[in-house]
Amino acid sequence: MSKKIALFTTEIVTYLKETGKVSFSAPSNIALVKYWGKHGVQLPQNASLSFTLSNCKTLTSISYSKKKETTADFDFQFLFEGNPKPSFEPKINTFFERIYEYCPFLKDFSFVIDSQNTFPHSSGIASSASGMAAMAQCLVAIEKALGSTLSEEQLTQKASFLARLGSGSACRSLEGPVTVWGAHESIEGSSDQYAVKVPFEIHETFQNYQDTVLLVDKGEKQVSSTVGHNLMHGHPFANERFQQANDNLKELTEVMQAGNMERFIHIVESEALTLHAMMMTSSPYFILMKPETLEVINHIWEFRREHNIPVCFTLDAGANVHILYPESVKEPVLSFIDKKLARYCQNKQYICDVVGTGIQQL
């Protein structure tokens, strides 16, 4: 268990409510500067920066009722799209165990957690970030209803902090459109413990930025992200990678304020390829890209070169391709995707998204 952080620990002597229900939606996010490698309890080896998305999100409701007596175990039921999902309960139980010292009311109440995604199940879009962010925000809202004395700013930070303990990248889904997770000298208020909204106005070029996700492979990843992160321990290029990421983050924040599209494209694509290079040089090594992933990348490079349209790609730890571009070129890019790239997607499926502002109460 991590050292207790006093800021996020509240003692509620008398609960103001005994029953209630809270509902929130939380979006997924896509990292532009990647983090790959953790230490301690879900702490990043380098800072990361992400676009918060809008359409790909998880909607979660939590109903709560006070037990007659506090028990040693957590009491909850998890529903996915209205149906019991017992296979997910061990993950929630582990999450509750991690956050119990910060949410001591968890053993005093029974919970029914009802969750659904706006994107298709097994679509290849990781739902852990949006799912854990939504659940964390619901728990913080319950704490507030019970009588928490934390300020609104502290509650937002706590929700991000709790989300991180469920899934590292989930902490970046609470706010938007651009967030940073990890202490970094160029980002005031940044922390390894939770993500923060960038403290500057992004250039109009990057506002309403589009993200079209090509569903190249909707299957389960061959190697989990947790295993991949652990392989950074003892990786021959780890320290250089952590420094590279922090350097790229500093430059990218400058680029996004200035509107330098050329450097934005270079940094974002380099970060995506470096992430996969670290996987390919781990021991054991692995490759999560598919042949179709490489075909898509080459078509994007060709399209950008021939038409001088500022479109680029990024990748998560998987085969799917996120295509990033300004709203001003949406029409030609979507035409290009439909005519040239959809063929590389399973069932020609892709998802159109746009940067968003984070958590919303339902």
Side-chain angles (χ1 to χ4, degrees), residues 21-25 59-64 105 111 113-114 131-145 159 162 174 359-360 362:
K21 181 179 180 180
V22 295
S23 302
F24 286 87
S25 71
L59 288 65
T60 297
S61 297
I62 300 184
S63 302
Y64 58 96
F105 62 88
F111 303 95
I113 305 166
D114 194 348
M132 284 300 178
M135 195 180 309
Q137 183 63 51
C138 284
L139 292 175
V140 166
I142 291 171
E143 180 180 318
K144 180 181 178 182
L162 297 179
L174 274 293
I359 289 282
Q360 292 182 336
L362 302 176

Side-chain angles (χ1 to χ4, degrees), residues 22-155:
V22 295
S23 302
F24 286 87
S25 71
S28 189
N29 67 79
I30 179 65
L32 306 179
V33 174
K34 313 292 185 180
Y35 98 98
W36 196 243
K38 294 186 284 191
H39 67 95
V41 182
Q42 298 284 91
L43 296 172
Q45 290 282 12
N46 63 265
S48 58
L49 179 147
S50 63
F51 271 144
T52 308
L53 299 179
S54 180
N55 300 329
C56 292
K57 56 189 176 182
T58 299
L59 288 65
T60 297
S61 297
I62 300 184
S63 302
Y64 58 96
S65 58
K66 195 173 185 301
K67 301 176 186 175
K68 292 183 179 179
E69 294 182 1
T70 300
T71 59
D73 298 322
F74 303 112
D75 182 7
F76 65 88
Q77 181 184 16
F78 181 75
L79 307 176
F80 182 70
E81 296 183 346
N83 299 311
K85 188 80 170 180
S87 62
F88 200 72
E89 290 180 0
K91 185 172 185 178
I92 296 176
N93 197 75
T94 299
F95 175 53
F96 278 12
E97 288 175 348
R98 281 183 179 172
I99 68 173
Y100 175 62
E101 62 178 326
Y102 305 104
C103 301
F105 62 88
L106 286 176
K107 291 184 178 179
D108 296 337
F109 288 80
S110 297
F111 303 95
V112 177
I113 305 166
D114 194 348
S115 189
Q116 59 181 308
N117 297 328
T118 60
F119 46 95
H121 185 57
S122 299
S123 67
I125 305 298
S127 60
S128 58
S130 56
M132 284 300 178
M135 195 180 309
Q137 183 63 51
C138 284
L139 292 175
V140 166
I142 291 171
E143 180 180 318
K144 180 181 178 182
L146 295 178
S148 172
T149 58
L150 295 179
S151 68
E152 288 299 322
E153 180 182 5
Q154 290 171 333
L155 288 170

Side-chain angles (χ1 to χ4, degrees), residues 163-179:
R164 172 182 66 78
L165 294 175
S167 173
S169 60
C171 69
R172 298 191 308 247
S173 285
L174 274 293
E175 297 183 281
V178 181
T179 60

Side-chain angles (χ1 to χ4, degrees), residues 15 92 164 186 313 323:
Y15 295 127
I92 296 176
R164 172 182 66 78
S186 68
F313 70 88
I323 302 180

Side-chain angles (χ1 to χ4, degrees), residues 79-264:
L79 307 176
F80 182 70
E81 296 183 346
N83 299 311
K85 188 80 170 180
S87 62
F88 200 72
E89 290 180 0
K91 185 172 185 178
I92 296 176
N93 197 75
T94 299
F95 175 53
F96 278 12
E97 288 175 348
R98 281 183 179 172
I99 68 173
Y100 175 62
E101 62 178 326
Y102 305 104
C103 301
F105 62 88
L106 286 176
K107 291 184 178 179
D108 296 337
F109 288 80
S110 297
F111 303 95
V112 177
I113 305 166
D114 194 348
S115 189
Q116 59 181 308
N117 297 328
T118 60
F119 46 95
H121 185 57
S122 299
S123 67
I125 305 298
S127 60
S128 58
S130 56
M132 284 300 178
M135 195 180 309
Q137 183 63 51
C138 284
L139 292 175
V140 166
I142 291 171
E143 180 180 318
K144 180 181 178 182
L146 295 178
S148 172
T149 58
L150 295 179
S151 68
E152 288 299 322
E153 180 182 5
Q154 290 171 333
L155 288 170
T156 298
Q157 290 177 350
K158 182 167 183 174
S160 181
F161 171 82
L162 297 179
R164 172 182 66 78
L165 294 175
S167 173
S169 60
C171 69
R172 298 191 308 247
S173 285
L174 274 293
E175 297 183 281
V178 181
T179 60
V180 168
W181 171 36
H184 195 284
E185 60 182 9
S186 68
I187 304 295
E188 183 180 353
S190 59
S191 171
D192 288 350
Q193 301 291 344
Y194 50 84
V196 298
K197 186 177 176 180
V198 293
F200 57 79
E201 186 76 19
I202 62 173
H203 192 275
E204 62 181 1
T205 301
F206 300 108
Q207 295 177 16
N208 296 318
Y209 224 70
Q210 308 292 303
D211 178 8
T212 299
V213 189
L214 303 189
L215 304 181
V216 170
D217 183 11
K218 299 192 293 183
E220 187 174 338
K221 287 187 295 188
Q222 300 167 332
V223 179
S224 73
S225 294
T226 298
V227 171
H229 281 293
N230 288 338
L231 291 176
M232 288 299 285
H233 297 296
H235 194 294
F237 309 131
N239 290 334
E240 288 79 4
R241 165 56 197 159
F242 302 148
Q243 184 60 53
Q244 178 198 44
N246 285 320
D247 291 344
N248 280 343
L249 192 148
K250 183 178 187 301
E251 183 179 0
L252 192 61
T253 58
E254 297 168 353
V255 161
M256 296 185 76
Q257 291 175 80
N260 187 334
M261 186 65 69
E262 183 177 349
R263 287 303 298 167
F264 175 85

